[in-house]
Amino acid sequence: MTPKDREHIAHLIFLAYSGQATPEQQEDLSRWLEQKRHNLELYHTIVDNNRIQSEQEAFALFNQQEAWAKISRKTYRKQRTLYTRIARYVATLILLICASVYFLNTEQPEEKITTAALYLEPMSPKAILRNEQDMQMSLPGERYSVKDSIKLKEQLEASEVLQIYVPKGGEFELVLDDGTHVWMNSETELIFPRTFTGNERRVELVSGEAYFDVSKDKARPFIVHNKNLDLTVLGTRFNIQSYADEQEIVTTLVEGAVRLSSNKAVLRPGEQAVYDKTTGTTQIETVDTELFTAWRHGRLVFKSARLESVLKQLSRWYDVTFVYEEEEVKDWVFSGNMKKYENGNVILGILKATGKVNFVQQDSVIYVKRQ
């Protein structure tokens, strides 16, 4: 089936689903459905109401003006009068085209060609707790509280210093001894004491990303230590991204105040500090904090972001590797606001709908190409 044939079938499916198909178009679709059982199964998969309802929100929130314009020019140049009449179905149309192209590309059983379906494993709460003697255990549930650890092994519980690690495809919430909440993103490692003693509360973010909601204690400042930078607070909410394989440490303040050890500057709510590990310099600017903290609420939000930056997040969330066929593709800019879904092919489908980029998956490797 040629790309033109796939677009034609996608168009017919949309028209039939939205009640816009003429008798001739409905007959054309029926002939295709009767050709083979695979086509009928495919059709039912695409128009499944539960799937459409669960994904509709993402497409409604997606900044789709450019995407719609490109799809319009590419697919239906000769039918512009139809656009105004079915404008209310734009989100559904994009959904069906994405789904149709995705599923139809996997079909070709008679040629015995195997094409891996785009599927990114669901994220889930998971973390591993270790002690100084490298004894470890997997933590159950979505949250671990230091004060509620009677279910842990006695040897692990007795340790004064603990380490928690969230692997790829996971996220986890930690409650420290003082009541401070820490939400940890994928590939994050944090070292913390079982009990805070002395005149300060100190933890070490070895690598990764974490959102802190620090309990107020004027007598004991809370310090987040990193190999390159220390953050000192009394009671505040902030996000820090400090992955070992990235050049910058990004601190975004939501509430309260944070003092940076790099230049002794104090961040105010709505400000972000970007520390360059190579030069040792720090740049501070005012930002939309939601862009950098939405992950904690199960959302992916990006504005004029490089594709490489977006896919790096997906790589950590869904434990896959992205390989670019051309370096310049990394610099393409995208905007969007969507949920982290049970599997990430929905997000990839939205990116594909822009008409710029395509994805081909082989096991845990996804190749990024231009359309």
Side-chain angles (χ1 to χ4, degrees):
M1 182 177 288
T2 67
K4 185 176 181 180
D5 291 334
R6 287 195 290 269
E7 290 176 356
H8 176 64
I9 294 300
H11 186 201
L12 292 178
I13 291 175
F14 162 69
L15 292 176
Y17 178 81
S18 60
Q20 301 289 321
T22 64
E24 292 77 13
Q25 289 167 331
Q26 187 63 58
E27 184 177 349
D28 195 3
L29 177 60
S30 297
R31 281 196 298 269
W32 177 77
L33 293 174
E34 294 170 358
Q35 284 179 5
K36 57 185 71 175
R37 181 178 178 181
H38 173 83
N39 293 352
L40 184 60
E41 293 174 348
L42 172 62
Y43 174 78
H44 288 306
T45 300
I46 292 173
V47 299
D48 178 74
N49 286 325
N50 291 330
R51 183 179 66 82
I52 290 175
Q53 183 178 358
S54 67
E55 296 178 2
Q56 190 74 15
E57 182 183 1
F59 287 91
L61 290 171
F62 177 54
N63 183 5
Q64 56 184 280
Q65 291 182 346
E66 180 182 2
W68 170 237
K70 291 188 176 182
I71 290 175
S72 301
R73 292 194 298 270
K74 181 177 180 182
T75 309
Y76 307 116
R77 289 188 178 92
K78 298 181 180 179
Q79 302 182 38
R80 296 187 181 183
T81 56
L82 178 63
Y83 303 154
T84 301
R85 193 153 44 96
I86 62 173
R88 63 186 181 277
Y89 296 112
V90 167
T92 304
L93 173 59
I94 293 177
L95 167 63
L96 291 175
I97 288 179
C98 290
S100 298
V101 172
Y102 156 58
F103 284 111
L104 288 168
N105 272 328
T106 66
E107 184 247 335
Q108 294 177 348
E110 65 277 11
E111 299 178 23
K112 297 184 178 179
I113 296 177
T114 302
T115 303
L118 283 174
Y119 183 79
L120 277 60
E121 289 289 341
M123 293 188 65
S124 61
K126 50 188 170 185
I128 298 171
L129 191 67
R130 300 188 183 98
N131 65 4
E132 296 170 284
Q133 291 72 42
D134 204 29
M135 171 179 272
Q136 66 180 45
M137 69 173 295
S138 296
L139 294 174
E142 301 178 359
R143 184 175 76 170
Y144 166 68
S145 174
V146 174
K147 290 186 175 181
D148 184 23
S149 56
I150 57 175
K151 295 181 180 180
L152 298 181
K153 299 178 181 178
E154 292 184 4
Q155 301 96 319
L156 193 61
E157 165 65 8
S159 300
E160 292 300 321
V161 178
L162 297 172
Q163 180 184 53
I164 188 170
Y165 174 70
V166 180
K168 278 189 174 184
E171 54 187 0
F172 205 78
E173 181 183 354
L174 171 68
V175 184
L176 299 173
D177 171 62
D178 65 337
T180 292
H181 286 246
V182 186
W183 287 267
M184 303 173 65
N185 210 341
S186 297
E187 278 197 300
T188 297
E189 184 175 352
L190 185 76
I191 296 175
F192 61 97
R194 182 171 59 86
T195 304
F196 288 114
T197 58
N199 56 7
E200 67 177 23
R201 297 167 290 166
R202 178 181 290 265
V203 300
E204 179 181 355
L205 181 62
V206 179
S207 179
E209 181 173 22
Y211 180 96
F212 290 83
D213 185 351
V214 179
S215 295
K216 294 183 179 180
D217 186 341
K218 293 183 178 180
R220 297 187 301 168
F222 190 96
I223 299 173
V224 179
H225 172 71
N226 182 267
K227 179 181 178 181
N228 304 93
L229 183 70
D230 280 359
L231 304 176
T232 302
V233 304
L234 293 175
T236 189
R237 297 176 182 176
F238 64 97
N239 191 85
I240 177 170
Q241 185 182 86
S242 179
Y243 284 100
D245 61 351
E246 294 191 0
Q247 184 66 30
E248 299 173 333
I249 299 175
V250 181
T251 304
T252 307
L253 184 63
V254 177
E255 179 183 300
V258 170
R259 186 173 69 246
L260 308 172
S261 64
S262 58
N263 59 359
K264 307 302 180 184
V266 176
L267 288 185
R268 301 302 177 188
E271 291 185 333
Q272 181 183 85
V274 179
Y275 174 84
D276 190 299
K277 297 178 184 178
T278 300
T279 64
T281 58
T282 302
Q283 299 293 328
I284 298 176
E285 62 180 347
T286 300
V287 299
D288 179 356
T289 60
E290 184 187 10
L291 295 175
F292 304 90
T293 62
W295 65 268
R296 186 172 70 85
H297 303 291
R299 302 204 69 86
L300 172 62
V301 179
F302 48 98
K303 183 178 181 181
S304 299
R306 295 174 65 247
L307 180 62
E308 183 182 28
S309 175
V310 176
L311 296 186
K312 189 169 286 187
Q313 293 185 60
L314 299 187
S315 175
R316 295 188 178 112
W317 288 344
Y318 299 106
D319 195 9
V320 293
T321 300
F322 289 94
V323 176
Y324 299 83
E325 287 200 344
E326 301 176 50
E327 284 296 311
E328 67 179 79
V329 174
K330 296 180 179 180
D331 295 322
W332 288 352
V333 174
F334 293 85
S335 298
N337 183 336
M338 61 203 77
K339 287 182 178 180
K340 298 182 199 173
Y341 279 74
E342 292 184 355
N343 70 71
N345 72 294
V346 174
I347 298 175
L348 296 183
I350 293 175
L351 294 174
K352 287 173 63 176
T354 63
K356 295 174 63 175
V357 65
N358 195 18
F359 303 95
V360 177
Q361 183 173 356
Q362 294 181 5
D363 298 323
S364 62
V365 177
I366 297 178
Y367 294 90
V368 186
K369 309 178 179 183
R370 66 169 67 238
Q371 282 194 23

